[in-house]
Amino acid sequence: MMKASVKGKYDGDKSTGVGSLAFNAGDLKLRATMTDATLVAGPTLNGLSLAVEKPGFFIVEYNVPKKDVRFQFMNTVRVAEKPLNLTYIHSRGDNRTVVDGSLLIDPANKLSVNHTVGTNNCKLKYTYAHGRVATFEPCYDLARNVWDFAVSRRVYGDDVVKATYQTSSKLLGVEWSRTSRSTGSFKVCASVNLAEEVKTPKLTAETTWNLEM
């Protein structure tokens, strides 16, 4: 089966598009992704990337114009009978390695850690899910010694409203999204910087269409 997706994004006065084509080859999934830069002036190699994925195990992605390779490996181990999901990401171009781990304490509580190897960048996030209705996510940035907060609530079935606040930049955001495995998804975001004298909201909209062939 071959799957295609098209994503469009509107950010102020700028619009962008991303398309991807994926199909299964046994246990592997092959995917090609291109942006509007690939076709507008072309066709060209700008914005083109190729990936090989084994879901739940690894992803190898090659950025064609940058000649850069990105490796991602996933694994799950058990700690005190609790599942610990580990993700290792390495980008060869900028020689950056990120390790991400999430420990599912129980269906309602999860602890996550994100660390960039060789730096002080480390974030700790605690997630509390109140049933299938609301989620609370405080996040602490060790390098900057700041907190970020996110609260989301499910409304009207598949719709989710999410509010975020970044204490370091005093950026307040509100997001409304809907996700469908069959038809795609959309997301509308509004943000405002409370530190600015003139608090002008910034709006972005994003939608994705999924097709199966």
Side-chain angles (χ1 to χ4, degrees):
M1 179 181 295
M2 185 177 297
K3 295 183 178 180
S5 68
V6 179
K7 178 186 292 184
K9 184 176 182 180
Y10 174 78
D11 186 355
D13 57 352
K14 181 177 66 174
S15 298
T16 59
V18 176
S20 67
L21 184 65
F23 62 93
N24 296 326
D27 293 337
L28 300 178
K29 179 183 294 185
L30 308 180
R31 183 177 70 251
T33 303
M34 62 189 72
T35 68
D36 49 2
T38 311
L39 301 176
V40 170
T44 67
L45 297 180
N46 294 330
L48 177 64
S49 65
L50 306 173
V52 179
E53 175 184 359
K54 185 174 183 180
F57 292 91
F58 68 82
I59 301 173
V60 180
E61 185 172 9
Y62 179 65
N63 188 308
V64 178
K66 295 182 179 179
K67 298 181 180 180
D68 186 18
V69 181
R70 177 179 177 270
F71 302 92
Q72 178 173 327
F73 300 96
M74 298 85 80
N75 193 17
T76 300
V77 298
R78 302 194 72 84
V79 177
E81 300 303 320
K82 307 294 182 182
L84 174 62
N85 299 317
L86 298 172
T87 302
Y88 169 92
I89 303 172
H90 178 73
S91 299
R92 193 184 68 174
D94 54 8
N95 194 28
R96 188 168 69 102
T97 301
V98 177
V99 177
D100 188 272
S102 62
L103 178 65
L104 186 63
I105 302 173
D106 56 45
N109 298 275
K110 182 173 67 174
L111 183 63
S112 304
V113 179
N114 180 278
H115 174 59
T116 302
V117 178
T119 71
N120 294 326
N121 295 333
C122 185
K123 294 183 179 180
L124 303 176
K125 182 170 69 174
Y126 170 72
T127 302
Y128 170 70
H130 185 69
R132 292 178 52 86
V133 179
T135 303
F136 306 90
E137 292 181 313
C139 179
Y140 178 63
D141 190 325
L142 276 71
R144 298 187 299 165
N145 191 28
V146 294
W147 286 89
D148 294 333
F149 300 92
V151 180
S152 59
R153 182 177 178 85
R154 187 177 298 275
V155 295
Y156 304 122
D158 293 331
D159 292 14
V160 176
V161 176
K162 182 177 182 179
T164 60
Y165 181 67
Q166 300 177 9
T167 58
S168 58
S169 59
K170 295 186 178 180
L171 187 67
L172 177 65
V174 179
E175 172 187 304
W176 175 34
S177 63
R178 177 184 295 173
T179 301
S180 172
R181 291 184 178 180
S182 58
T183 59
S185 61
F186 74 85
K187 181 168 60 177
V188 179
C189 305
S191 61
V192 61
N193 193 326
L194 301 180
E196 296 178 349
E197 293 185 4
V198 180
K199 299 176 177 59
T200 304
K202 179 181 179 182
L203 299 176
T204 61
E206 182 179 302
T207 184
T208 303
W209 297 273
N210 296 326
L211 302 172
E212 292 187 358
M213 296 173 284

